[in-house]
Amino acid sequence: MSQNADSKSIILKSQTPKVGFISLGCPKNLVDSERILTQLKIEGYQVVPSFDDADLVIVNTCGFIDSAVQESLETIAEALSENGKVIVTGCLGAKENQIREVHPQVLEITGPHSYEEVLKHVHTYLPKPAHNPFLSLVPEQGIKLTPKHYAYLKISEGCNHRCTFCIIPSMRGDLDSREIGSILDEAKRLADAGVKELLVISQDTSAFGVDVKHKTGFWQGEPVKTHLNGLCEALSRLGIWVRLHYVYPYPHVDDVIPLMAEGKILPYLDIPLQHASPKILKLMKRPGSIERTLERIKHWREICPEITLRSTFIVGFPGETEEDFQLLLDFIKEAKLDRVGCFEYSPVEGAKANELNDPVPDDIKKDRFNRFMLLQQEISTQRLKEKIGKTLEVMLDEIEEEGAIGRSKADAPEIDGNVFITGDLSSFLPGQIVKVVINDSDEYDLYGELSV
């Protein structure tokens, strides 16, 4: 029982207890939120969208970088001010003392993926509904916070890497792969419910199954190896788009590329490379050789010419010189990646990188960020211009009066570009896949007309 157990007496006991919920952070956190919400609904609690109507509020926090920590603390403050009864979970919850120092009145605090513990705390402060009037209303696939036509599929928790800029292992632990049959059951439920695209996520998707020595599991009576390839093969049978995120470039990733060339999964690979300077990669404790990565990118494109490559990079890491940064720019010029995200290095409490010498001044970080993005915009502009005149399959996300907004196979939701389509699409629905003739482009987006 927490130090705030006496607060139990201030919780209103409505006939159907109401819970407010706020989810912050990345898609992996979103999946945690979906699981908690699903269980709340199954047990008969009512989830409400406002602080005022809630008997208590759950805040699922992010704590990866300082700005995320600040956002989480501010959100907790708002929930306490507007409601007063708050349970905190998520990544920042792993640092209970930091939260208690700012917000001692928080009822309970748990770390990430602590679904059962969160529900246990809810039971402490709110009575369990005497019956479950909403049980039959909970969809088989559970509560989802994404649009109906796409969903995130988390295949593991934690990470075995010890990158110096990251504190994820200290919050989420080492790699813990889900049982493959459970993953595939969830994927099928989602597909049966109308999901047209699955976004496979984890901290390290390539490492799936390493912790269980890639043991053979079973799904629908057939053996399936707990391995990225086995998972992709099985998911491909669902007949929907399958997109891979957070894929470290381990050698066995090469075996996934033929599946993309055969149309079994989307020709899209999100590989977090982070830098190109051998010195900086060593300081980051990142695996892989950039020379080898360039060779493999060339090989991937030979096998699957349509492949879209996305990555993220950090500029201004401690010790990064102008020479190191130039190596990164040279790599970007040669690799010609389709989609790239860039971040200025930000110290994270508890990260080993904080102990490194030669921090880069903020003005130099900003300058390098701007130079990096200017170069990548030029590359992206040229890559997209090459698609003018082609007919692409596009999944519709939004239908508007004068057209629609969708995504091609090269575009993940929220982080990549869009395809803006003109014409009368009033008879179509989000999630439908249409053919679009591309007639224009800019730095990030494509423009086209519905193919007749």
Side-chain angles (χ1 to χ4, degrees):
M1 188 77 66
S2 83
Q3 60 182 9
N4 291 292
D6 290 341
S7 300
K8 191 166 43 171
S9 60
I10 68 172
I11 302 293
L12 298 175
K13 295 189 177 182
S14 55
Q15 185 175 1
T16 302
K18 299 175 182 178
V19 179
F21 200 99
I22 302 170
S23 183
L24 304 174
C26 66
K28 295 177 281 292
N29 226 34
L30 190 73
V31 173
D32 291 349
S33 295
E34 290 172 342
R35 184 165 178 179
I36 295 170
L37 286 169
T38 297
Q39 192 58 40
L40 286 170
K41 294 286 278 185
I42 286 175
E43 293 187 4
Y45 291 97
Q46 184 179 353
V47 179
V48 294
S50 68
F51 293 127
D52 293 341
D53 294 336
D55 294 329
L56 65 77
V57 176
I58 299 172
V59 180
N60 191 3
T61 60
C62 179
F64 183 53
I65 58 176
D66 286 352
S67 60
V69 171
Q70 187 61 36
E71 180 187 18
S72 293
L73 290 174
E74 290 173 356
T75 302
I76 294 168
E78 182 182 5
L80 285 168
S81 174
E82 296 294 327
N83 183 279
K85 289 86 69 177
V86 178
I87 292 174
V88 174
T89 187
C91 291
L92 187 59
K95 300 179 178 180
E96 180 170 355
N97 291 339
Q98 184 176 356
I99 297 173
R100 291 276 181 214
E101 186 176 328
V102 181
H103 301 302
Q105 64 271 51
V106 165
L107 297 177
E108 302 283 357
I109 299 173
T110 74
H113 56 89
S114 302
Y115 321 112
E116 295 84 358
E117 197 172 353
V118 171
L119 267 295
K120 179 181 176 183
H121 291 323
V122 171
H123 299 157
T124 299
Y125 296 97
L126 288 182
K128 249 186 167 182
H131 61 293
N132 295 334
F134 296 106
L135 183 58
S136 61
L137 301 181
V138 178
E140 188 178 0
Q141 74 275 15
I143 305 301
K144 292 294 171 186
L145 299 176
T146 50
K148 183 179 179 181
H149 60 284
Y150 69 81
Y152 294 101
L153 182 68
K154 185 158 65 169
I155 63 173
S156 65
E157 291 286 359
C159 182
N160 288 342
H161 291 293
R162 295 297 182 264
C163 301
T164 57
F165 56 81
C166 181
I167 57 172
I168 290 296
S170 66
M171 294 189 290
R172 291 184 172 264
D174 290 335
L175 178 69
D176 183 11
S177 299
R178 287 180 59 189
E179 198 274 319
I180 194 163
S182 171
I183 296 172
L184 295 172
D185 282 342
E186 180 183 352
K188 188 174 187 307
R189 287 196 300 271
L190 290 167
D192 290 345
V195 167
K196 303 300 182 185
E197 177 180 4
L198 289 174
L199 299 107
V200 178
I201 60 170
S202 66
Q203 299 299 333
D204 180 0
T205 298
S206 312
F208 175 63
V210 167
D211 54 319
V212 294
K213 299 180 179 178
H214 299 302
K215 71 177 182 180
T216 298
F218 289 88
W219 185 58
Q220 296 187 338
E222 295 184 7
V224 185
K225 199 172 183 182
T226 309
H227 191 282
L228 181 61
N229 284 30
L231 177 65
C232 289
E233 281 278 8
L235 290 174
S236 72
R237 298 174 201 154
L238 297 175
I240 60 178
W241 284 10
V242 176
R243 191 183 300 274
L244 301 182
H245 286 277
Y246 313 116
V247 180
Y248 280 70
Y250 302 142
H252 70 264
V253 173
D254 293 358
D255 299 331
V256 176
I257 309 303
L259 301 182
M260 298 179 179
E262 295 165 15
K264 293 185 174 182
I265 61 175
L266 291 184
Y268 181 101
L269 202 57
D270 176 8
I271 44 175
L273 296 173
Q274 307 300 5
H275 214 280
S277 162
K279 184 190 83 178
I280 298 301
L281 287 171
K282 185 176 181 180
L283 289 173
M284 290 179 169
K285 289 194 175 178
R286 294 288 296 180
S289 157
I290 287 299
E291 291 77 13
R292 174 63 178 143
T293 298
L294 284 169
E295 292 175 6
R296 293 175 70 198
I297 288 174
K298 180 181 178 182
H299 182 56
W300 294 342
R301 285 173 170 159
E302 288 172 352
I303 297 172
C304 183
E306 299 302 314
I307 193 170
T308 294
L309 298 175
R310 151 170 272 281
S311 191
T312 51
F313 296 89
I314 298 172
V315 297
F317 191 79
E320 182 190 64
T321 63
E322 181 62 27
E323 181 182 0
D324 294 318
F325 178 65
Q326 192 59 52
L327 287 173
L328 175 56
L329 294 184
D330 291 343
F331 171 78
I332 291 296
K333 289 177 185 176
E334 188 168 354
K336 290 183 171 58
L337 301 174
D338 302 272
R339 305 293 192 186
V340 171
C342 182
F343 303 91
E344 295 177 45
Y345 172 75
S346 173
V348 178
E349 184 180 352
K352 290 292 184 182
N354 299 341
E355 303 169 9
L356 296 174
N357 297 322
D358 303 319
V360 178
D362 288 343
D363 59 336
I364 295 179
K365 286 185 201 174
K366 176 62 70 177
D367 176 68
R368 289 177 182 170
F369 171 83
N370 290 334
R371 289 158 61 194
F372 179 99
M373 291 307 299
L374 186 61
L375 173 59
Q376 180 55 36
Q377 283 176 0
E378 294 174 0
I379 294 169
S380 176
T381 298
Q382 184 56 42
R383 299 288 289 175
L384 291 176
K385 191 176 293 185
E386 294 169 3
K387 298 186 179 185
I388 294 177
K390 294 185 177 180
T391 299
L392 304 180
E393 287 187 333
V394 175
M395 180 174 291
L396 301 178
D397 284 332
E398 299 176 36
I399 312 297
E400 301 181 335
E401 287 186 13
E402 299 179 354
I405 302 173
R407 293 175 292 107
S408 72
K409 294 178 180 179
D411 306 307
E414 311 247 333
I415 58 173
D416 293 329
N418 292 302
V419 181
F420 294 90
I421 312 162
T422 57
D424 182 8
L425 288 96
S426 57
S427 62
F428 292 88
L429 296 172
Q432 284 187 267
I433 296 173
V434 299
K435 290 188 176 182
V436 177
V437 180
I438 304 302
N439 54 34
D440 201 2
S441 65
D442 56 25
E443 298 98 326
Y444 303 113
D445 301 314
L446 295 172
Y447 302 83
E449 298 178 352
L450 194 64
S451 177
V452 180

